[in-house]
Amino acid sequence: MLGFKKFKADMRGNTAIMAALAIVPILLATGAGIDMMRANNAQTVLQAAADAAAIAGATSKLTSVAQIKVVVDDYLKANGAMDVLDSVDKIESKLDKAKRTFEVKIRGKLKTSLMSIAGISNMELGAYSEIVMGGNALEVALVLDNTGSMNSQGRLSSLKVAATDMISKLMKMKSDGADVKIGIVPFGNYVNVGIANRVEPWLAVPANSISWNGCVGSRSAPLDESISSPSTPYPGLLNTACPSAISGLTANDVQLKSQINAMIAVGATYIPQGLLWGWNVLDSSKPFTGGRTNAAMQTAGGSKALVLMTDGANTRSTNGMYHWGSDVSAANTKTASLCRNIKSDEIKIYTVSLMVDDITAKNLLIRCASDPSMAYSVNNAAELAKAFDDIGDSLMALRVSK
């Protein structure tokens, strides 16, 4: 009997040892899972930081290697690269003028937690980003406020200078082989699609078209937030004033500059109308057909962008097809919805607010931009020119290829 009790005690001891041994691989498996999750999260942050640093370096206008390195290091730090790595082994940046590329590489280590039990104390992580300077294709819609308030304090004149300079800058990319096209969308209460389009099937102009100046209103909701359903025409509005006509995408810089110079300021502010027609200009289907499809743009290694400039908040909302309503909140909601829809269509949005004091309007434009850094708030002609110049640099930089 005593022998049997001793045997049972021995068995209990063996079981305890076996259980303890079994815990080790379980701990290792659990630890590996946790550490791999940490590594994946860190890698995501690291890649985003490398992309941001590469874009910043490519658009910095700096030529000194030391100065560019400072920019790259600052952007890596600001975007969390140093926070997710326990140690940084190497940071490299390289400008290749012949290939028109700018590269950023970062490599470092992340300390493990439970995997250290197996002797694995850290994991190596790295990120690489390559920017093609200017890409191979660029399509831009300049959506420009032409409301009556732009007549004051030389605002319209300043806008004409800033927009003309941007066109000159972007068209220089053509000498490097890039396919660059720009469209212009002056907006107020309404936009002007051009009287030459009065017989187009996407447009419904009343029979008494003699009094039609090219102005169009909104389709019924929710089509006023979309460029789909081309079979549902846009309403032509009789006896209505609107800015100069839209210019579809073109590579003719003389035509574009002439269009900018011809802009006149008239009417109140309804930003959704400008956004909608800027989106239409960039699209490949009617009403305007000058844009590439998203698939074709990706194949070409290029990008689409919309630059929205305004000097004020929404002051009008829809009232049927017309824009004489006074529900500013509804107009702001419509603006935000259009911004989301445009960005989801692979179009980058830059916003420029000129002398806008309304906090709600400023925040609306910041949220409209693809990134807060792409929203500019300016107060005079010099700052407006600088904003357009910076946006031009960003558009010239910019394709993350790897």
Side-chain angles (χ1 to χ4, degrees):
M1 192 71 176
L2 288 173
F4 179 70
K5 289 181 179 180
K6 183 177 180 181
F7 174 74
K8 287 178 65 179
D10 290 343
M11 286 295 293
R12 286 196 296 270
N14 289 339
T15 301
I17 293 170
M18 291 174 66
L21 290 173
I23 289 173
V24 175
I26 293 173
L27 287 174
L28 286 174
T30 303
I34 294 172
D35 285 330
M36 289 306 297
M37 185 180 299
R38 290 175 58 231
N40 286 336
N41 292 337
Q43 183 64 48
T44 299
V45 173
L46 204 60
Q47 187 61 57
D51 288 343
I55 291 172
T59 58
S60 67
K61 298 183 183 179
L62 299 172
T63 56
S64 164
V65 173
Q67 289 177 321
I68 293 176
K69 184 180 184 304
V70 170
V71 172
V72 169
D73 289 350
D74 286 348
Y75 268 77
L76 287 172
K77 183 177 180 180
N79 286 277
M82 311 312 179
D83 297 330
V84 297
L85 292 175
D86 292 300
S87 62
V88 177
D89 297 331
K90 197 170 188 178
I91 296 174
E92 290 182 332
S93 56
K94 178 184 176 183
L95 174 64
D96 190 324
K97 293 183 179 179
K99 295 180 179 178
R100 295 188 296 127
T101 60
F102 184 81
E103 302 174 351
V104 169
K105 299 177 184 178
I106 180 170
R107 189 171 67 247
K109 293 183 177 64
L110 176 68
K111 290 181 181 178
T112 60
S113 52
L114 293 177
M115 285 177 66
S116 59
I117 297 172
I120 303 173
S121 58
N122 57 66
M123 292 182 286
E124 291 193 358
L125 298 178
Y128 170 67
S129 183
E130 179 185 273
I131 298 293
V132 175
M133 309 292 282
N136 301 316
L138 177 65
E139 294 173 358
V140 183
L142 300 181
V143 178
L144 307 176
D145 190 327
N146 275 212
T147 56
S149 59
M150 289 292 291
N151 280 319
S152 66
Q153 299 176 275
R155 297 178 188 183
L156 187 61
S157 297
S158 299
L159 174 59
K160 289 180 179 182
V161 171
T164 298
D165 288 346
M166 175 188 275
I167 291 169
S168 295
K169 175 179 287 238
L170 295 180
M171 287 303 171
K172 289 179 181 178
M173 293 170 59
K174 292 192 296 184
S175 62
D176 292 329
D179 181 14
V180 182
K181 292 181 179 178
I182 300 173
I184 300 167
V185 182
F187 76 93
N189 283 42
Y190 308 103
V191 300
N192 183 340
V193 296
I195 58 174
N197 288 315
R198 70 174 67 198
V199 296
E200 290 292 330
W202 50 264
L203 184 63
V205 179
N208 183 19
S209 58
I210 295 175
S211 59
W212 183 62
N213 300 316
C215 309
V216 295
S218 291
R219 299 187 293 179
S220 299
L223 290 181
D224 57 347
E225 299 175 11
S226 171
I227 60 172
S228 63
S229 303
S231 59
T232 303
Y234 294 89
L237 306 177
L238 301 183
N239 304 307
T240 305
C242 54
S244 55
I246 290 173
S247 172
L249 291 174
T250 178
N252 187 331
D253 56 340
V254 174
Q255 175 186 329
L256 290 166
K257 291 175 182 178
S258 176
Q259 181 78 6
I260 292 291
N261 188 56
M263 291 192 309
I264 56 173
V266 59
T269 306
Y270 186 62
I271 296 173
Q273 185 78 334
L275 286 169
L276 180 75
W277 285 93
W279 188 9
N280 261 325
V281 162
L282 291 169
D283 196 56
S284 59
S285 57
K286 290 184 176 182
F288 294 89
T289 59
R292 297 176 189 237
T293 64
N294 288 341
M297 184 59 82
Q298 186 174 16
T299 299
S303 58
K304 294 174 181 273
L306 186 152
V307 180
L308 168 66
M309 177 272 157
T310 182
D311 76 334
N314 282 309
T315 59
R316 294 288 185 267
S317 62
T318 55
N319 181 9
M321 68 181 69
Y322 289 88
H323 306 149
W324 287 111
S326 57
D327 190 345
V328 172
S329 178
N332 289 345
T333 299
K334 198 76 70 176
T335 300
S337 179
L338 272 160
C339 291
R340 289 192 298 270
N341 293 344
I342 291 168
K343 288 183 285 190
S344 69
D345 197 24
E346 301 180 26
I347 297 171
K348 297 172 185 167
I349 299 181
Y350 296 82
T351 61
V352 182
S353 59
L354 173 62
M355 301 181 189
V356 176
D357 297 322
D358 187 294
I359 298 300
T360 299
K362 279 189 174 182
N363 289 336
L364 179 64
L365 292 172
I366 291 171
R367 291 191 297 270
C368 181
S370 295
D371 185 87
S373 66
M374 297 163 71
Y376 297 79
S377 178
V378 301
N379 294 302
N380 54 54
E383 291 179 358
L384 181 65
K386 179 68 165 55
F388 271 69
D389 189 53
D390 288 348
I391 293 171
D393 286 339
S394 177
L395 291 171
M396 287 178 70
L398 279 146
R399 177 166 66 91
V400 179
S401 63
K402 296 179 183 178

